[in-house]
PDB file of all heavy atoms in Angstrom:
ATOM      1  N   VAL A  19       8.599 -15.966  15.620  1.00 81.00           N
ATOM      2  CA  VAL A  19       7.421 -15.506  14.883  1.00 81.00           C
ATOM      3  C   VAL A  19       7.735 -15.541  13.406  1.00 81.00           C
ATOM      4  O   VAL A  19       8.772 -15.020  12.942  1.00 81.00           O
ATOM      5  CB  VAL A  19       7.097 -14.052  15.303  1.00 81.00           C
ATOM      6  CG1 VAL A  19       5.993 -13.568  14.398  1.00 81.00           C
ATOM      7  CG2 VAL A  19       6.726 -14.030  16.757  1.00 81.00           C
ATOM      8  N   PRO A  20       6.858 -16.189  12.590  1.00 92.00           N
ATOM      9  CA  PRO A  20       7.157 -16.213  11.157  1.00 92.00           C
ATOM     10  C   PRO A  20       7.064 -14.824  10.540  1.00 92.00           C
ATOM     11  O   PRO A  20       6.426 -13.992  11.019  1.00 92.00           O
ATOM     12  CB  PRO A  20       6.018 -17.195  10.657  1.00 92.00           C
ATOM     13  CG  PRO A  20       5.200 -17.498  11.720  1.00 92.00           C
ATOM     14  CD  PRO A  20       5.678 -16.919  12.972  1.00 92.00           C
ATOM     15  N   PRO A  21       7.686 -14.715   9.353  1.00 95.00           N
ATOM     16  CA  PRO A  21       7.648 -13.419   8.690  1.00 95.00           C
ATOM     17  C   PRO A  21       6.184 -13.018   8.445  1.00 95.00           C
ATOM     18  O   PRO A  21       5.295 -13.884   8.302  1.00 95.00           O
ATOM     19  CB  PRO A  21       8.304 -13.646   7.291  1.00 95.00           C
ATOM     20  CG  PRO A  21       9.223 -14.841   7.600  1.00 95.00           C
ATOM     21  CD  PRO A  21       8.524 -15.675   8.653  1.00 95.00           C
ATOM     22  N   LEU A  22       5.931 -11.737   8.351  1.00 97.00           N
ATOM     23  CA  LEU A  22       4.551 -11.181   8.182  1.00 97.00           C
ATOM     24  C   LEU A  22       3.953 -11.805   6.912  1.00 97.00           C
ATOM     25  O   LEU A  22       2.806 -12.147   6.965  1.00 97.00           O
ATOM     26  CB  LEU A  22       4.614  -9.657   8.071  1.00 97.00           C
ATOM     27  CG  LEU A  22       3.309  -8.961   7.952  1.00 97.00           C
ATOM     28  CD1 LEU A  22       2.341  -9.328   9.027  1.00 97.00           C
ATOM     29  CD2 LEU A  22       3.513  -7.467   7.935  1.00 97.00           C
ATOM     30  N   PHE A  23       4.673 -11.917   5.824  1.00 97.00           N
ATOM     31  CA  PHE A  23       4.091 -12.504   4.615  1.00 97.00           C
ATOM     32  C   PHE A  23       3.611 -13.903   4.916  1.00 97.00           C
ATOM     33  O   PHE A  23       2.473 -14.316   4.476  1.00 97.00           O
ATOM     34  CB  PHE A  23       5.086 -12.555   3.495  1.00 97.00           C
ATOM     35  CG  PHE A  23       4.528 -13.200   2.288  1.00 97.00           C
ATOM     36  CD1 PHE A  23       3.650 -12.565   1.418  1.00 97.00           C
ATOM     37  CD2 PHE A  23       4.734 -14.512   1.982  1.00 97.00           C
ATOM     38  CE1 PHE A  23       3.016 -13.165   0.292  1.00 97.00           C
ATOM     39  CE2 PHE A  23       4.193 -15.212   0.907  1.00 97.00           C
ATOM     40  CZ  PHE A  23       3.289 -14.435   0.100  1.00 97.00           C
ATOM     41  N   ASP A  24       4.308 -14.716   5.611  1.00 97.00           N
ATOM     42  CA  ASP A  24       3.877 -16.111   5.925  1.00 97.00           C
ATOM     43  C   ASP A  24       2.617 -16.138   6.719  1.00 97.00           C
ATOM     44  O   ASP A  24       1.826 -16.989   6.596  1.00 97.00           O
ATOM     45  CB  ASP A  24       4.958 -16.856   6.607  1.00 97.00           C
ATOM     46  CG  ASP A  24       6.189 -17.180   5.735  1.00 97.00           C
ATOM     47  OD1 ASP A  24       6.051 -16.978   4.553  1.00 97.00           O
ATOM     48  OD2 ASP A  24       7.260 -17.610   6.296  1.00 97.00           O
ATOM     49  N   ARG A  25       2.472 -15.133   7.522  1.00 97.00           N
ATOM     50  CA  ARG A  25       1.218 -15.025   8.395  1.00 97.00           C
ATOM     51  C   ARG A  25       0.081 -14.526   7.574  1.00 97.00           C
ATOM     52  O   ARG A  25      -1.124 -14.764   8.016  1.00 97.00           O
ATOM     53  CB  ARG A  25       1.474 -14.159   9.624  1.00 97.00           C
ATOM     54  CG  ARG A  25       2.557 -14.728  10.489  1.00 97.00           C
ATOM     55  CD  ARG A  25       2.873 -13.979  11.798  1.00 97.00           C
ATOM     56  NE  ARG A  25       2.450 -12.633  11.959  1.00 97.00           N
ATOM     57  CZ  ARG A  25       3.162 -11.589  12.137  1.00 97.00           C
ATOM     58  NH1 ARG A  25       4.444 -11.684  12.006  1.00 97.00           N
ATOM     59  NH2 ARG A  25       2.646 -10.428  12.388  1.00 97.00           N
ATOM     60  N   ILE A  26       0.236 -13.820   6.546  1.00 97.00           N
ATOM     61  CA  ILE A  26      -0.795 -13.296   5.719  1.00 97.00           C
ATOM     62  C   ILE A  26      -1.158 -14.187   4.530  1.00 97.00           C
ATOM     63  O   ILE A  26      -2.199 -14.634   4.359  1.00 97.00           O
ATOM     64  CB  ILE A  26      -0.439 -11.874   5.187  1.00 97.00           C
ATOM     65  CG1 ILE A  26      -0.346 -10.905   6.273  1.00 97.00           C
ATOM     66  CG2 ILE A  26      -1.466 -11.384   4.179  1.00 97.00           C
ATOM     67  CD1 ILE A  26       0.181  -9.579   5.943  1.00 97.00           C
ATOM     68  N   GLY A  27      -0.159 -14.547   3.767  1.00 96.00           N
ATOM     69  CA  GLY A  27      -0.272 -15.452   2.603  1.00 96.00           C
ATOM     70  C   GLY A  27      -0.649 -14.746   1.350  1.00 96.00           C
ATOM     71  O   GLY A  27      -1.143 -13.582   1.363  1.00 96.00           O
ATOM     72  N   ASP A  28      -0.459 -15.489   0.191  1.00 95.00           N
ATOM     73  CA  ASP A  28      -0.706 -14.892  -1.104  1.00 95.00           C
ATOM     74  C   ASP A  28      -2.179 -14.488  -1.308  1.00 95.00           C
ATOM     75  O   ASP A  28      -2.485 -13.409  -1.728  1.00 95.00           O
ATOM     76  CB  ASP A  28      -0.433 -15.986  -2.172  1.00 95.00           C
ATOM     77  CG  ASP A  28       0.972 -15.886  -2.694  1.00 95.00           C
ATOM     78  OD1 ASP A  28       1.551 -14.834  -2.718  1.00 95.00           O
ATOM     79  OD2 ASP A  28       1.556 -16.997  -2.989  1.00 95.00           O
ATOM     80  N   GLU A  29      -3.071 -15.411  -1.015  1.00 97.00           N
ATOM     81  CA  GLU A  29      -4.471 -15.145  -1.310  1.00 97.00           C
ATOM     82  C   GLU A  29      -5.015 -13.984  -0.516  1.00 97.00           C
ATOM     83  O   GLU A  29      -5.785 -13.126  -1.097  1.00 97.00           O
ATOM     84  CB  GLU A  29      -5.338 -16.414  -1.071  1.00 97.00           C
ATOM     85  CG  GLU A  29      -5.086 -17.465  -2.141  1.00 97.00           C
ATOM     86  CD  GLU A  29      -5.953 -18.651  -1.918  1.00 97.00           C
ATOM     87  OE1 GLU A  29      -7.080 -18.526  -1.343  1.00 97.00           O
ATOM     88  OE2 GLU A  29      -5.415 -19.842  -2.243  1.00 97.00           O
ATOM     89  N   ALA A  30      -4.733 -13.952   0.741  1.00 98.00           N
ATOM     90  CA  ALA A  30      -5.207 -12.853   1.594  1.00 98.00           C
ATOM     91  C   ALA A  30      -4.569 -11.496   1.219  1.00 98.00           C
ATOM     92  O   ALA A  30      -5.289 -10.451   1.167  1.00 98.00           O
ATOM     93  CB  ALA A  30      -4.884 -13.088   3.025  1.00 98.00           C
ATOM     94  N   LEU A  31      -3.297 -11.548   0.791  1.00 98.00           N
ATOM     95  CA  LEU A  31      -2.718 -10.322   0.282  1.00 98.00           C
ATOM     96  C   LEU A  31      -3.369  -9.781  -0.979  1.00 98.00           C
ATOM     97  O   LEU A  31      -3.749  -8.595  -1.085  1.00 98.00           O
ATOM     98  CB  LEU A  31      -1.203 -10.488   0.042  1.00 98.00           C
ATOM     99  CG  LEU A  31      -0.437  -9.280  -0.503  1.00 98.00           C
ATOM    100  CD1 LEU A  31      -0.567  -8.094   0.429  1.00 98.00           C
ATOM    101  CD2 LEU A  31       1.012  -9.694  -0.799  1.00 98.00           C
ATOM    102  N   ARG A  32      -3.617 -10.701  -1.893  1.00 97.00           N
ATOM    103  CA  ARG A  32      -4.308 -10.333  -3.143  1.00 97.00           C
ATOM    104  C   ARG A  32      -5.740  -9.798  -2.911  1.00 97.00           C
ATOM    105  O   ARG A  32      -6.152  -8.722  -3.430  1.00 97.00           O
ATOM    106  CB  ARG A  32      -4.358 -11.521  -4.028  1.00 97.00           C
ATOM    107  CG  ARG A  32      -4.836 -11.181  -5.528  1.00 97.00           C
ATOM    108  CD  ARG A  32      -4.584 -12.320  -6.445  1.00 97.00           C
ATOM    109  NE  ARG A  32      -3.184 -12.651  -6.476  1.00 97.00           N
ATOM    110  CZ  ARG A  32      -2.646 -13.838  -6.118  1.00 97.00           C
ATOM    111  NH1 ARG A  32      -3.360 -14.796  -5.633  1.00 97.00           N
ATOM    112  NH2 ARG A  32      -1.352 -13.973  -6.246  1.00 97.00           N
ATOM    113  N   ARG A  33      -6.493 -10.461  -2.013  1.00 98.00           N
ATOM    114  CA  ARG A  33      -7.825  -9.934  -1.614  1.00 98.00           C
ATOM    115  C   ARG A  33      -7.733  -8.590  -0.978  1.00 98.00           C
ATOM    116  O   ARG A  33      -8.605  -7.762  -1.263  1.00 98.00           O
ATOM    117  CB  ARG A  33      -8.514 -10.966  -0.671  1.00 98.00           C
ATOM    118  CG  ARG A  33      -9.208 -12.094  -1.330  1.00 98.00           C
ATOM    119  CD  ARG A  33     -10.077 -12.883  -0.434  1.00 98.00           C
ATOM    120  NE  ARG A  33      -9.541 -13.123   0.947  1.00 98.00           N
ATOM    121  CZ  ARG A  33      -8.764 -14.243   1.208  1.00 98.00           C
ATOM    122  NH1 ARG A  33      -8.592 -15.184   0.295  1.00 98.00           N
ATOM    123  NH2 ARG A  33      -8.305 -14.433   2.380  1.00 98.00           N
ATOM    124  N   LEU A  34      -6.781  -8.414  -0.112  1.00 98.00           N
ATOM    125  CA  LEU A  34      -6.645  -7.126   0.560  1.00 98.00           C
ATOM    126  C   LEU A  34      -6.405  -5.990  -0.402  1.00 98.00           C
ATOM    127  O   LEU A  34      -7.039  -4.994  -0.338  1.00 98.00           O
ATOM    128  CB  LEU A  34      -5.416  -7.242   1.524  1.00 98.00           C
ATOM    129  CG  LEU A  34      -4.922  -5.907   2.139  1.00 98.00           C
ATOM    130  CD1 LEU A  34      -5.915  -5.341   3.060  1.00 98.00           C
ATOM    131  CD2 LEU A  34      -3.564  -6.164   2.811  1.00 98.00           C
ATOM    132  N   LEU A  35      -5.492  -6.255  -1.393  1.00 98.00           N
ATOM    133  CA  LEU A  35      -5.207  -5.171  -2.290  1.00 98.00           C
ATOM    134  C   LEU A  35      -6.361  -4.839  -3.224  1.00 98.00           C
ATOM    135  O   LEU A  35      -6.659  -3.700  -3.470  1.00 98.00           O
ATOM    136  CB  LEU A  35      -3.940  -5.574  -3.179  1.00 98.00           C
ATOM    137  CG  LEU A  35      -2.663  -5.607  -2.378  1.00 98.00           C
ATOM    138  CD1 LEU A  35      -1.554  -6.214  -3.203  1.00 98.00           C
ATOM    139  CD2 LEU A  35      -2.274  -4.236  -1.891  1.00 98.00           C
ATOM    140  N   TRP A  36      -7.045  -5.906  -3.736  1.00 98.00           N
ATOM    141  CA  TRP A  36      -8.231  -5.618  -4.592  1.00 98.00           C
ATOM    142  C   TRP A  36      -9.326  -4.883  -3.772  1.00 98.00           C
ATOM    143  O   TRP A  36      -9.984  -3.983  -4.242  1.00 98.00           O
ATOM    144  CB  TRP A  36      -8.749  -6.919  -5.246  1.00 98.00           C
ATOM    145  CG  TRP A  36      -7.938  -7.262  -6.426  1.00 98.00           C
ATOM    146  CD1 TRP A  36      -7.049  -8.280  -6.442  1.00 98.00           C
ATOM    147  CD2 TRP A  36      -7.964  -6.689  -7.706  1.00 98.00           C
ATOM    148  NE1 TRP A  36      -6.433  -8.312  -7.779  1.00 98.00           N
ATOM    149  CE2 TRP A  36      -7.068  -7.359  -8.523  1.00 98.00           C
ATOM    150  CE3 TRP A  36      -8.692  -5.655  -8.244  1.00 98.00           C
ATOM    151  CZ2 TRP A  36      -6.815  -7.034  -9.860  1.00 98.00           C
ATOM    152  CZ3 TRP A  36      -8.490  -5.262  -9.621  1.00 98.00           C
ATOM    153  CH2 TRP A  36      -7.543  -5.947 -10.380  1.00 98.00           C
ATOM    154  N   ALA A  37      -9.541  -5.303  -2.531  1.00 98.00           N
ATOM    155  CA  ALA A  37     -10.565  -4.713  -1.696  1.00 98.00           C
ATOM    156  C   ALA A  37     -10.170  -3.306  -1.342  1.00 98.00           C
ATOM    157  O   ALA A  37     -11.042  -2.336  -1.402  1.00 98.00           O
ATOM    158  CB  ALA A  37     -10.702  -5.497  -0.346  1.00 98.00           C
ATOM    159  N   PHE A  38      -8.889  -3.028  -1.089  1.00 98.00           N
ATOM    160  CA  PHE A  38      -8.469  -1.651  -0.790  1.00 98.00           C
ATOM    161  C   PHE A  38      -8.663  -0.737  -2.063  1.00 98.00           C
ATOM    162  O   PHE A  38      -9.204   0.321  -1.900  1.00 98.00           O
ATOM    163  CB  PHE A  38      -7.027  -1.702  -0.416  1.00 98.00           C
ATOM    164  CG  PHE A  38      -6.389  -0.313  -0.268  1.00 98.00           C
ATOM    165  CD1 PHE A  38      -6.795   0.568   0.738  1.00 98.00           C
ATOM    166  CD2 PHE A  38      -5.381   0.103  -1.104  1.00 98.00           C
ATOM    167  CE1 PHE A  38      -6.299   1.852   0.863  1.00 98.00           C
ATOM    168  CE2 PHE A  38      -4.869   1.409  -0.990  1.00 98.00           C
ATOM    169  CZ  PHE A  38      -5.335   2.254  -0.012  1.00 98.00           C
ATOM    170  N   TYR A  39      -8.251  -1.185  -3.148  1.00 97.00           N
ATOM    171  CA  TYR A  39      -8.309  -0.356  -4.404  1.00 97.00           C
ATOM    172  C   TYR A  39      -9.776  -0.195  -4.867  1.00 97.00           C
ATOM    173  O   TYR A  39     -10.108   0.866  -5.413  1.00 97.00           O
ATOM    174  CB  TYR A  39      -7.378  -0.738  -5.445  1.00 97.00           C
ATOM    175  CG  TYR A  39      -5.970  -0.265  -5.064  1.00 97.00           C
ATOM    176  CD1 TYR A  39      -5.056  -1.093  -4.487  1.00 97.00           C
ATOM    177  CD2 TYR A  39      -5.659   1.086  -5.145  1.00 97.00           C
ATOM    178  CE1 TYR A  39      -3.768  -0.651  -4.069  1.00 97.00           C
ATOM    179  CE2 TYR A  39      -4.397   1.543  -4.730  1.00 97.00           C
ATOM    180  CZ  TYR A  39      -3.473   0.680  -4.198  1.00 97.00           C
ATOM    181  OH  TYR A  39      -2.319   1.189  -3.808  1.00 97.00           O
TER     182      TYR A  39
END
Side-chain angles (χ1 to χ4, degrees):
V19 173
L22 182 55
F23 177 80
D24 291 349
R25 297 184 346 244
I26 295 171
D28 269 327
E29 290 181 32
L31 178 60
R32 191 168 298 116
R33 276 193 313 270
L34 169 68
L35 291 171
W36 281 104
F38 172 66
Y39 283 100

